[in-house]
Amino acid sequence: MLIVQKYGGTSVGTIDRMREVAKRCLATQREGHDVVVIVSAMSGETNRLLALSKQLSDDSNDREVDVIVSTGEQVSVGLVALAIRAQGGQATSFLGHQVKITTDSAFSRARIQSIDGQPIFDALKTGKIAVVAGFQGTDVAGNITTLGRGGSDTSAVAIAAALKADVCEIYTDVDGVYTADPNVVPGARKIERISYEEMLELASLGAKVLQIRSVEFGMKYGVAIHVRSSFNQNQGTWVVPEEQAMEQVVVAGVTANRDEAKITLLAVPDHPGVAAKIFKPLSESGIVVDMIIQNVSAEGRTDLTFTVPKGDIKRAQELLRTRCGDLCGGGERIVTNDSIAKISVVGVGMRSHAGVAQRMFELLANEGVNILMISTSEIKISVIVDAKYAELATRVLHDGFGLHLPAGERASVG
Ligand code: ADP
Ligand code: ASP
Ligand code: MG
């Protein structure tokens, strides 16, 4: 088999941890498999590099910031290759450009467009383990790009797809994908099999165990993804097509996301074209608006509230002031709040079960948690609450929907 193994920051956090990684790669190879390893920067390194860059540039689209933050992975591939060699194996390291991981030019959030698997196949043919840097690529002009936080997951799944690997193993510091972040909810349970659809929602709503784009790649190219721990040999979580996900439960997981902020425009005129005018400058600047609510209007005016990524809040406020000042008193009537959290419940079973939203609101009300905004889609319900309630709300919903129980013992709607 051809096996792709990705090791995250904690899994390569020290030289000793790298020795463990090397041992596992070599054991896999000894079983007769071809092994391709994708590595992240050592834990804390990407944050350190970002903090250094930030002292000189605040621009999230800065070419030089990607030059700097991509170096963490360069150190890791070299060290892991050396660790494999030190144990008698053979390994070659590859940076993104050496396997032509070509991306668009959106620095700090680039998307992979193509990969050349040939150098990797050539290394495998001579009995080597290929050690490839995650998180990085280059655009067509040769500029170094990075794939966004957690991007090594996407490098791994994309490389697995390009090589037509039999499995992509994501080694991390927890045993798999849980019903909620196991570091926040003590009773969270490991999920044995989860559908790509549910995993996509969990990832996009805050479960950072897999980057969203990695799940998209997995789904598109049918890559079998196995999320597991680098600290033990336990079976982890398989991310699979929906028909193969056995645990047919109504709610599969609960997530919390603190990366959004809320903007309210008070007393904007309530007539056709106003919303279009407000959201145009934001979309033109690539600011993604998530939830939107509009109050019932009174005397021809209404309040409009929406959320944007926290990192974009200053830019959004400035754009609204300069481009829509006439609608909001020159900016006077723009109110922002960045201490909010988005709590979501996710599950394909919601398609066929009524009452999940009502139960969710009831569970939160019982704890006195006020809901500021609500949005729903076919397989998820999200609410915005005050940030101080994030952990409480996550735990209450988790246990309220019976996720602390084995899948077979959960009532249909909690
Ligand atoms: P790595 O460095 O290996 O990529 P990450 O820190 O990016 O690891 O992702 C693993 C972390 O994701 C876990 O330590 C855990 O706190 C967090 N996490 C959040 N939600 C979940 C979930 N539902 N299941 C598992 N882990 C989760
Ligand atoms: N090192 C990068 C980060 O910390 C990529 C990754 O670990 O997946 O975001
Ligand atoms: Mg990660």
Side-chain angles (χ1 to χ4, degrees):
M1 292 213 290
L2 172 52
I3 299 183
V4 171
Q5 301 187 330
K6 176 256 168 176
Y7 293 90
T10 323
S11 306
V12 293
T14 62
I15 295 295
D16 272 345
R17 293 294 319 150
M18 289 184 178
R19 290 196 176 104
E20 291 300 315
V21 167
K23 206 188 273 176
R24 195 182 288 258
C25 298
L26 284 164
T28 310
Q29 194 189 41
R30 269 196 301 276
E31 286 166 15
H33 306 302
D34 284 326
V35 183
V36 179
V37 189
I38 317 300
V39 288
S40 290
M42 296 168 79
S43 67
E45 181 62 6
T46 307
N47 284 345
R48 187 183 76 85
L49 295 166
L50 273 171
L52 283 178
S53 315
K54 209 161 179 200
Q55 293 180 44
L56 295 166
S57 168
D58 234 350
D59 181 0
S60 66
N61 198 31
D62 192 327
R63 175 189 186 278
E64 307 312 329
V65 173
D66 279 15
V67 169
I68 297 158
V69 298
S70 63
T71 59
E73 274 70 13
Q74 174 160 354
V75 172
S76 290
V77 280
L79 288 172
V80 167
L82 286 180
I84 292 171
R85 235 171 53 191
Q87 292 177 32
Q90 285 182 289
T92 304
S93 67
F94 294 97
L95 297 180
H97 72 89
Q98 293 172 314
V99 287
K100 298 199 180 62
I101 298 180
T102 306
T103 69
D104 61 19
S105 303
F107 297 114
S108 84
R109 53 181 183 284
R111 287 172 163 250
I112 297 179
Q113 291 168 336
S114 63
I115 295 173
D116 175 13
Q118 201 51 50
I120 299 178
F121 284 126
D122 291 345
L124 295 176
K125 236 183 284 164
T126 57
K128 289 183 175 146
I129 291 175
V131 188
V132 187
F135 187 50
Q136 52 173 256
T138 44
D139 68 6
V140 283
N143 298 303
I144 291 175
T145 55
T146 63
L147 309 179
R149 298 312 304 269
S152 296
D153 298 329
T154 301
S155 309
V157 179
I159 288 170
L163 303 178
K164 299 197 168 47
D166 295 280
V167 55
C168 181
E169 298 181 327
I170 304 286
Y171 285 96
T172 183
D173 55 6
V174 288
D175 273 10
V177 180
Y178 280 69
T179 49
D181 186 340
N183 290 317
V184 173
V185 180
R189 284 181 163 266
K190 187 173 77 188
I191 302 170
E192 275 170 34
R193 297 166 86 83
I194 188 166
S195 64
Y196 291 117
E197 288 83 354
E198 285 168 322
M199 192 63 236
L200 205 53
E201 290 285 2
L202 290 179
S204 60
L205 295 168
K208 70 168 184 165
V209 62
L210 284 178
Q211 200 199 32
I212 310 166
R213 289 282 294 151
S214 72
V215 188
E216 285 173 1
F217 264 105
M219 185 148 106
K220 185 163 174 200
Y221 296 100
V223 179
I225 302 173
H226 185 190
V227 182
R228 55 191 306 197
S229 169
S230 65
F231 293 82
N232 58 49
Q233 300 291 336
N234 299 348
Q235 271 287 312
T237 301
W238 285 89
V239 188
V240 294
E242 192 175 322
E243 55 280 12
Q244 292 172 25
M246 291 182 316
E247 295 176 22
Q248 281 296 347
V249 291
V250 180
V251 174
V254 182
T255 58
N257 182 344
R258 292 176 188 73
D259 297 339
E260 288 182 21
K262 188 162 73 85
I263 300 180
T264 303
L265 303 188
L266 297 166
V268 293
D270 187 17
H271 57 70
V274 169
K277 186 168 177 201
I278 288 170
F279 291 116
K280 191 168 178 217
L282 301 180
S283 71
E284 280 175 354
S285 308
I287 296 177
V288 179
V289 174
D290 181 24
M291 290 176 155
I292 305 173
I293 51 168
Q294 183 178 321
N295 287 18
V296 175
S297 84
E299 292 161 16
R301 292 190 172 261
T302 184
D303 299 340
L304 193 66
T305 303
F306 51 91
T307 62
V308 298
K310 243 182 212 173
D312 289 334
I313 185 98
K314 282 212 187 85
R315 209 154 54 95
Q317 198 170 359
E318 191 50 29
L319 278 167
L320 291 167
R321 196 182 61 75
T322 52
R323 301 271 300 272
C324 314
D326 54 325
L327 301 175
C328 53
E332 289 263 298
R333 297 198 306 275
I334 302 178
V335 181
T336 63
N337 176 356
D338 66 2
S339 75
I340 57 166
K342 180 164 73 173
I343 314 297
S344 312
V345 299
V346 172
V348 288
M350 280 183 213
R351 291 196 192 114
S352 51
H353 279 81
V356 181
Q358 187 273 331
R359 178 74 180 134
M360 180 176 185
F361 305 153
E362 194 173 72
L363 288 164
L364 294 172
N366 290 345
E367 295 295 325
V369 178
N370 192 30
I371 297 171
L372 306 176
M373 300 172 88
I374 301 169
S375 82
T376 64
S377 76
E378 209 188 9
I379 66 165
K380 72 121 205 279
I381 303 164
S382 299
V383 295
I384 297 284
V385 301
D386 199 310
K388 70 177 183 231
Y389 293 126
E391 295 195 357
L392 172 67
T394 309
R395 281 199 207 112
V396 160
L397 294 175
H398 184 269
D399 292 1
F401 281 105
L403 297 183
H404 57 307
L405 302 170
E409 289 172 28
R410 290 174 204 157
S412 63
V413 184

